[in-house]
Amino acid sequence: MISDTEKKIFATIDDNRLLASCGGLVLAGSGGPDSMALLDFFVRHRARFAFPVVCATLDHGLRAESKKEVCMVRQFCQKHGVPFEELFVDIRQEIERLEKEEKRLSGELAR
């Protein structure tokens, strides 16, 4: 049985032709309730869609619990046969690198 919320999702997709020419869908899975609900929706209704669904997540290393959330999303995808891609970017390290580069370039421009 399809819930009222799911009916609204299907209606929005259909009315706006959101997936009319879709060759594949990459869902961003953060592990939060919104992204997990959307992932669950597409898993449960995958037979209605003629395209593959992949889940991807980006762990930016800002919160200790993010590793646990990535693991939860990965396990959900494995359980339901959804291809899963993950990327880790240490944002703090990247910011430090960019700040150093900015200082270096500023110094060159000042000469």
Side-chain angles (χ1 to χ4, degrees), residues 1-2 6 10 40-49:
M1 182 163 173
I2 297 176
E6 291 170 319
F10 279 118
D40 182 66
F41 171 83
F42 277 98
V43 163
R44 286 187 295 108
H45 298 290
R46 72 175 104 201
R48 293 180 177 228
F49 301 105

Side-chain angles (χ1 to χ4, degrees), residues 15-67:
D15 293 349
N16 296 287
R17 302 183 41 81
L18 296 177
L19 303 172
S21 60
C22 184
L25 184 64
V26 178
L27 295 173
S30 68
D34 294 347
S35 67
M36 292 307 294
L38 190 60
L39 179 58
D40 182 66
F41 171 83
F42 277 98
V43 163
R44 286 187 295 108
H45 298 290
R46 72 175 104 201
R48 293 180 177 228
F49 301 105
F51 50 79
V53 173
V54 174
C55 181
T57 190
L58 170 66
D59 180 358
H60 41 64
L62 294 176
R63 298 178 301 107
E65 58 272 12
S66 65
K67 288 181 182 172

Side-chain angles (χ1 to χ4, degrees), residues 1-18:
M1 182 163 173
I2 297 176
S3 71
D4 289 341
T5 300
E6 291 170 319
K7 288 176 186 175
K8 289 177 185 177
I9 293 170
F10 279 118
T12 299
I13 290 170
D14 294 342
D15 293 349
N16 296 287
R17 302 183 41 81
L18 296 177

